[in-house]
Amino acid sequence: MKTIQAYRFALDLNPGQERAVLAHAGAARVAHNWALARVKAVMDQRAAERTYGVPDALLTESISWTLAGLRKAWNAIKPDVAPWWAEVSKEAFNTGLDALARGLKNWADSRTGKRKGRPVGFPRFKSRRRTTPSVRFTTGTIRVEPDRKHVVLPRLGRLKLHESARKLARRLDNDTARIMSATVRRDGGRWHVSFTVEVERAERTPARPDSVVGVDVGIKHLAVLSTGELVDNPRHLVAAQARLRALGRALSRRTGPDRRTDRRASKRWGRAAARLGRAHARVTNLRRDGLHKLTTRLAREHGTIVVEDLNVTGMLANRRLARHIADAGFAEIRRQLDYKATWNGSRLIVADRWYPSSKTCSGCGATKAKLALSEREYHCEACGLIMDRDRNAAANLAGLAAEFDTAGSGPVAARGADQKTRVHGQVAVKREPGTTPVGQTGTVPPQGRTTNHALTRAH
Ligand SMILES: [Zn+2]
């Protein structure tokens, strides 16, 4: 099975290398902004000409929005706009032009309805202050050194890695991976190199193909499984979160920028903001690392994994920071399980966001109208079941798998009305095309619901 995977490593750049990367990122920005200004000028000119009644055939010629078109225009003009162009790799300009070409396409597709989701705005100019510096290399010498502690990139040369690249190097050595591109970027105050790699993966099957597990993602614990297991948050996460809160308070006491009064941020504000950014990155990394360990284990072991689309109750329960972190966790666990399930031959089912996993009794199926957030235990009035709240939710998620199976293969068993069967039938075709083999992912409507909002797409 061929997959495209990203391998990301932290870099230790020396000051000269950092300057070189920043020069490349700056060059990307210059090309991007020049091309954007050009596109805008041509659009404005044509719009003005139309208002004067100039016939379409005589309008100023429009310029191509494709990467090839933008590159051609840039190459013709670069000696004038950027006389220093030979000092950086041409890949730097390509990075900026590629970003613009994609931005223009997304905007155009969004306007014509070809692209779904939230409307995409017209590309904006990139400012030096507010853009994440990044440059992508797609050609030339890109390799991991035999010591696995250094990488070689065009123009930038030999860069030291902060961590070993052994996982990638092993695959490169036995020819199961091919590097397609390398991107150097500064995120969270630290430099990283990210390789996009085509990987040949061995077909796998989960250790227990018939096993079903429900996963309830939380804040106190990383997750609660329907098997009863509580998966703890990674070590140091609590301390990192406390630091994050403290740094947020410190930042609010500094003099920040104010657009209305044109006030510029103080130096101390800038430093505090950088510290806060690094703390954010650390919390994200710790959590992501914990999630990676969990999702790998789940996908290797169980044949079917059921997760929730979004934790609506959790969103209401927590103050902003906790909520933000939990939301990120939901999105991340879904994303990881999606591809890991494919790799391991297991199946991911995403429960609809309206499915009342917390309010339903996992014993008898009775649903409560209300469940206070302070109630950490689920007490069922119908059958007397008493269970930890999160464990009950996880058990309900696991139970959905059975329903999904009946939906996919013929008539619905048990309490299904005609209408419900129809809903299930629709769900069966809502599997994601392209990303995963048929039957690997899908959505399940909540039990007993027949309305259409139960069918919101999971992806
Ligand atoms: Zn019950």
Side-chain angles (χ1 to χ4, degrees), residues 54 82 119 130 134 173-174 207 228 254 318 362 414 422 431 435-436:
V54 176
R130 294 185 31 211
S134 117
D173 288 350
N174 64 20
R254 308 276 188 264
N318 296 284
S362 59
R422 186 170 54 82
R431 286 162 185 156
T435 50
T436 42

Side-chain angles (χ1 to χ4, degrees), residues 70-362:
L70 294 175
R71 199 155 48 193
K72 201 173 157 207
W74 168 256
N75 282 334
I77 203 80
K78 71 184 176 191
D80 302 329
V81 180
W84 40 265
W85 63 271
E87 288 167 31
V88 294
S89 163
K90 66 182 189 331
E91 297 266 9
F93 305 119
N94 209 46
T95 304
L97 297 174
D98 184 45
L100 179 63
R102 272 182 290 131
L104 289 167
K105 182 173 189 304
N106 288 344
W107 174 75
D109 287 353
S110 175
R111 256 183 32 138
T112 55
K114 248 165 80 186
R115 185 189 158 99
K116 299 221 164 46
R118 165 192 303 197
V120 177
F122 195 76
R124 296 215 247 159
F125 290 104
K126 290 185 188 292
S127 85
R128 185 166 59 88
R129 277 172 177 278
R130 294 185 31 211
T131 317
T132 308
S134 117
V135 58
R136 186 169 74 121
F137 297 93
T138 52
T139 53
T141 318
I142 303 173
R143 67 163 190 267
V144 178
E145 292 276 71
D147 68 358
R148 298 174 176 187
K149 296 254 176 66
H150 294 83
V151 294
V152 174
L153 298 180
R155 285 296 175 108
L156 301 176
R158 195 159 177 270
L159 309 177
K160 186 172 179 299
L161 294 175
H162 186 70
E163 52 197 325
S164 167
R166 63 178 185 281
K167 279 191 175 167
L168 174 59
R170 234 180 268 146
R171 283 205 173 273
L172 292 170
D173 288 350
N174 64 20
D175 267 341
T176 56
R178 191 169 63 86
I179 295 176
M180 298 164 77
S181 70
T183 304
V184 181
R185 179 184 290 124
R186 189 174 64 199
D187 34 23
R190 145 147 258 166
W191 289 99
H192 290 92
V193 59
S194 172
F195 294 101
T196 303
V197 182
E198 189 187 65
V199 176
E200 178 67 46
R201 299 188 71 90
E203 302 277 344
R204 278 196 159 162
T205 47
R208 296 157 58 200
D210 296 328
S211 162
V212 177
V213 67
V215 186
D216 188 64
V217 186
I219 295 160
K220 251 188 172 167
H221 295 278
L222 193 62
V224 178
L225 309 183
S226 58
T227 55
E229 186 188 334
L230 300 175
V231 184
D232 262 326
N233 273 316
R235 278 194 311 147
H236 310 308
L237 182 67
V238 175
Q241 281 171 350
R243 184 171 154 75
L244 190 60
R245 278 190 293 273
L247 289 171
R249 284 195 299 271
L251 182 67
S252 69
R253 289 193 298 268
R254 308 276 188 264
T255 309
D258 191 335
R259 276 219 175 153
R260 284 168 308 165
T261 59
D262 251 359
R263 186 179 71 190
R264 295 194 70 172
S266 69
K267 287 243 164 81
R268 300 175 81 223
W269 184 91
R271 284 197 297 269
R275 274 197 292 273
L276 182 65
R278 282 196 297 274
H280 255 297
R282 179 162 162 76
V283 166
T284 309
N285 287 344
L286 283 169
R287 241 189 115 80
R288 181 163 45 196
D289 190 49
L291 288 174
H292 265 300
K293 285 179 180 136
L294 171 65
T295 53
T296 297
R297 179 159 68 89
L298 290 173
R300 287 204 177 151
E301 184 165 350
H302 303 280
T304 303
I305 306 156
V306 192
V307 289
E308 236 168 344
D309 190 10
L310 251 187
N311 187 350
V312 180
T313 48
M315 279 169 60
L316 299 172
N318 296 284
R319 287 196 294 173
R320 279 203 323 217
L321 177 66
R323 187 176 102 186
H324 170 83
I325 292 167
D327 286 356
F330 272 96
E332 184 64 15
I333 203 166
R334 271 261 314 282
R335 192 186 68 79
Q336 292 180 10
L337 282 172
D338 204 13
Y339 66 80
K340 289 185 188 178
T342 312
W343 291 354
N344 291 287
S346 56
R347 179 176 65 148
L348 176 68
I349 296 179
V350 179
D352 188 272
R353 61 195 297 176
W354 306 105
Y355 173 65
S357 65
S358 308
K359 291 181 190 161
T360 307
C361 170
S362 59

Side-chain angles (χ1 to χ4, degrees), residues 361-366 378-385:
C361 170
S362 59
C364 68
Y378 187 92
H379 292 254
C380 180
E381 282 110 34
C383 72
L385 174 110

